Amino acid sequence: MSIRNIKKSYPIFSRRIHGHPLTYLDSAATAQKPTAVLAAMDAFYRRHNANPRRGLYQLGVEATEMVEQVRSDVAAFIGADDASEVVFTSGTTGAINLVAYTWALAHLRPGDEVIVSELEHHSNLVPWQQLAARRRWKLSFIPITANGNLDLQWLRRHLTRRVKLVSVTHTSNVLGVRPPLPTIIRLAHRVGARVLVDAAQAVAHEPINVSRLGCDWISFSGHKMYGPTGIGVLWGRRALLEDAPPYQYGGEMVAEVRWGKTTFADPPARFEAGTQNAAGIVGLGAAIAMLRAIGWPAIRRHERALVRYAMKKLTMLSGVTVYGPHTAVDHGAVISFNIDGVHAHDVASVFDTLGIAVRAGHHCAMPLHTKLGVLATVRASIGIYNTKEDIDQLVRGIKKVQKIFEV
Ligand SMILES: Cc1ncc(COP(=O)(O)O)c(C=O)c1O
């Protein structure tokens, strides 16, 4: 599969928005879906639909096999040796909450410390904040330096045996910063802390190998990697999953149920109570197959060239402030900026008249925006289907905003 004509395999790009072709620069919020993903889900419902792990008839067996095949595909995709370490969740948020409400609640005591970074999306901040307040854990934040990188000196000074968990983003959804995870993981493990990596903004853009990375859990969402909404993954080390109680209770997560007592299934079933999103899982499998067919070298080459091109164009424009590091090397597929004198929401509204879709606001990272000294930014994010023409259209959009607002 070639990346060059890939837009053609995404039906949404046949649409026109306010008379213009769609310039979709919001893949960090959710990526568009290729025909292969739509067809896989359609085929599941048309030909195989049954409740996985329950039906002892042909369709039930097929549905179970399809779901378990995707579990193996996910494991291979992220370099995990054991498919039973892959738990299906509703998304990144569901995965992080799962670790918070199972392992962390079971293992952290009052006075223990959780460290997150100032870059975090609310999903990797609010669950820890809420539980910390309830259970009297301490919550600390790795500060960012002037260019948006994490202050590792702070982390070195701060890591003590009281720290039980470091939960950090792989790639910032605002600044595109990619913290040095191997160093963070090594430092955290040295004091016995566990490490959760929020890979929501990474998994569609670069290979992730949990075995090589050495983290303890990783979370991501299907919909940001060209798969469907409502499905995500928590990968965790087998021993840690086994050492955590269930999160939700119900069908298929049990070993034996008596009137007064229940024993629970081993992971991953222990954490997958109730009927699973089988069609979503099948769609996720199709998205992984598509990414594999294109291949990481082509994806990275294409996206890095686009980020470099966009960064060059945007930083050259007067009256535009680009946040975070300005180099494409080590930069994720998001660029956040403001047009001086114009609110980000107004920018996005003018862009829309040209068929340009971007995100405007705090991107679920309000404390980070406070730190940056702004209420909102405009975020352009890139996916495999974007082209240089999309960036050129973005630049035209910026110029139109500056003309309308006379800034
Ligand atoms: C870095 C990061 N973490 C977590 C999330 C939450 O993902 P979801 O809403 O799919 O659970 C997002 C979504 O934007 C994100 O960018």
Side-chain angles (χ1 to χ4, degrees):
M1 190 182 285
S2 159
I3 208 162
R4 200 171 302 157
N5 293 317
I6 201 123
K7 235 176 193 170
K8 291 204 181 87
S9 45
Y10 287 72
I12 207 158
F13 290 112
S14 64
R15 276 204 62 175
R16 291 185 82 79
I17 307 289
H18 306 303
H20 297 272
L22 169 61
T23 301
Y24 191 74
L25 291 168
D26 201 17
S27 297
T30 198
Q32 296 302 345
K33 318 303 173 200
T35 304
V37 167
L38 304 175
M41 295 175 73
D42 186 66
F44 175 79
Y45 279 130
R46 283 179 195 276
R47 296 188 46 79
H48 309 284
N49 184 48
N51 203 323
R53 300 220 298 259
R54 287 142 171 96
L56 293 175
Y57 45 85
Q58 179 69 26
L59 295 183
V61 171
E62 285 171 13
T64 305
E65 282 175 359
M66 289 169 88
V67 164
E68 294 312 315
Q69 180 59 51
V70 177
R71 201 186 299 281
S72 299
D73 294 346
V74 169
F77 185 66
I78 59 171
D81 298 328
D82 181 354
S84 75
E85 294 180 328
V86 171
V87 181
F88 289 119
T89 65
S90 58
T92 309
T93 306
I96 295 172
N97 274 277
L98 199 160
V99 176
Y101 283 88
T102 61
W103 181 87
L105 264 193
H107 291 278
L108 270 65
R109 302 280 158 259
D112 283 347
E113 187 167 351
V114 174
I115 294 182
V116 300
S117 86
E118 288 184 344
L119 291 173
E120 301 312 315
H121 185 281
H122 295 163
S123 322
N124 194 26
L125 194 171
V126 182
W128 307 117
Q129 180 196 66
Q130 295 303 304
L131 285 185
R134 226 200 279 168
R135 292 297 175 111
R136 286 182 284 122
W137 306 337
K138 186 173 177 214
L139 179 63
S140 307
F141 300 87
I142 311 171
I144 54 169
T145 59
N147 64 3
N149 289 314
L150 293 190
D151 181 351
L152 289 194
Q153 290 309 331
W154 180 95
L155 184 64
R156 280 197 177 86
R157 282 197 308 277
H158 210 87
L159 276 171
T160 65
R161 291 262 155 206
R162 267 187 19 176
V163 178
K164 295 294 185 293
L165 176 72
V166 176
S167 191
V168 69
T169 191
H170 183 296
T171 303
S172 161
N173 68 316
V174 178
L175 300 180
V177 169
R178 296 163 67 256
L181 292 176
T183 308
I184 293 171
I185 293 165
R186 186 166 38 79
L187 292 173
H189 281 172
R190 210 184 274 167
V191 295
R194 298 294 179 184
V195 182
L196 166 59
V197 172
D198 171 0
Q201 292 299 342
V203 71
H205 304 287
E206 60 183 290
I208 288 184
N209 186 306
V210 291
S211 306
R212 231 175 287 143
L213 200 52
C215 59
D216 297 296
W217 301 273
I218 204 160
S219 55
F220 54 91
S221 304
H223 70 97
K224 293 186 198 284
M225 52 188 291
Y226 313 103
T229 48
I231 189 69
V233 168
L234 174 72
W235 170 86
R237 287 182 191 281
R238 174 113 207 135
L240 292 173
L241 294 178
E242 278 172 353
D243 202 18
Y247 173 32
Q248 292 175 328
Y249 300 88
E252 286 300 312
M253 48 76 68
V254 296
E256 191 181 51
V257 181
R258 295 175 181 266
W259 290 120
K261 188 173 184 299
T262 296
T263 53
F264 300 108
D266 288 336
R270 182 188 298 175
F271 302 111
E272 295 178 349
T275 298
Q276 294 301 291
N277 178 2
I281 292 169
V282 167
L284 174 65
I288 288 175
M290 180 223 42
L291 287 168
R292 278 184 174 268
I294 300 169
W296 287 122
I299 294 171
R300 296 196 82 191
R301 216 177 309 120
H302 176 74
E303 293 188 348
R304 281 191 166 201
L306 272 188
V307 171
R308 204 175 307 127
Y309 183 69
M311 193 64 91
K312 188 167 146 223
K313 288 274 179 177
L314 263 58
T315 49
M316 268 165 45
L317 290 172
S318 61
V320 173
T321 305
V322 176
Y323 299 93
H326 288 185
T327 57
V329 180
D330 255 19
H331 200 287
V334 301
I335 300 179
S336 293
F337 62 94
N338 268 319
I339 301 178
D340 298 348
V342 189
H343 193 282
H345 288 172
D346 293 329
V347 175
S349 299
V350 174
F351 280 6
D352 182 48
T353 64
L354 294 171
I356 306 168
V358 291
R359 177 116 182 235
H362 51 66
H363 323 310
C364 298
M366 279 171 108
L368 174 59
H369 277 77
T370 306
K371 178 100 182 194
L372 296 173
V374 288
L375 283 174
T377 54
V378 181
R379 182 183 70 187
S381 54
I382 281 161
I384 42 179
Y385 31 62
N386 288 119
T387 59
K388 275 188 166 179
E389 288 71 45
D390 292 332
I391 307 301
D392 293 340
Q393 180 70 346
L394 177 70
V395 171
R396 272 193 288 279
I398 293 173
K399 290 187 175 156
K400 181 170 178 186
V401 172
Q402 290 176 321
K403 195 162 166 213
I404 291 174
F405 287 87
E406 296 177 356
V407 288

